[in-house]
Amino acid sequence: MFGTGTGSGSGLLESGRNRYLCPSGDGGVGSIREVTVISGLPASRRTERLELLDDEKHILSFRVVGGEHRLNNYLSVTSVNEFEKDGKVSTVVLESYIVDIPAWE
């Protein structure tokens, strides 16, 4: 299953801001997950499709394909990068995204 958090093995994952249910796919590219948004954002749920999963390069990409939200044409790419400086290892998580700007109401 793509996503982070903890679960009971039932396909339900929870993180601090969202709940995930993975109704179709094997966790690889093309898998679909339903996200219940509990962060207070102007959305209640969204459907995401896994676009890219590269374990070697530590890259994950998903596209929002449905739901009740304002994220029109949302595509996210997240990478995890490790670097060393002065003998100290650090990790940087970088998320880039593309989304259509909604019309003001």
Side-chain angles (χ1 to χ4, degrees):
M1 270 179 255
F2 75 102
T4 59
T6 60
S8 63
S10 65
L12 178 66
L13 297 171
E14 291 195 35
S15 74
R17 297 182 300 169
N18 298 308
R19 289 191 182 107
Y20 305 96
L21 176 62
C22 299
S24 68
D26 60 1
V29 172
S31 294
I32 301 290
R33 71 178 177 183
E34 299 290 333
V35 180
T36 301
V37 180
I38 56 177
S39 65
L41 294 172
S44 59
R45 66 175 185 79
R46 67 180 181 260
T47 304
E48 299 174 353
R49 179 185 183 276
L50 183 60
E51 298 289 318
L52 173 70
L53 183 60
D54 188 324
D55 288 334
E56 277 187 32
K57 294 181 181 178
H58 306 285
I59 299 172
L60 175 136
S61 176
F62 70 89
R63 179 180 306 276
V64 174
V65 296
E68 298 170 10
H69 58 81
R70 296 183 183 179
L71 302 174
N72 295 325
N73 295 317
Y74 185 91
L75 174 66
S76 170
V77 178
T78 303
S79 63
V80 179
N81 302 285
E82 185 178 276
F83 66 94
E84 185 177 342
K85 182 176 180 182
D86 299 328
K88 183 179 177 184
V89 177
S90 299
T91 303
V92 173
V93 178
L94 178 64
E95 179 182 16
S96 302
Y97 63 90
I98 300 170
V99 65
D100 289 349
I101 299 172
W104 292 100
E105 297 176 12

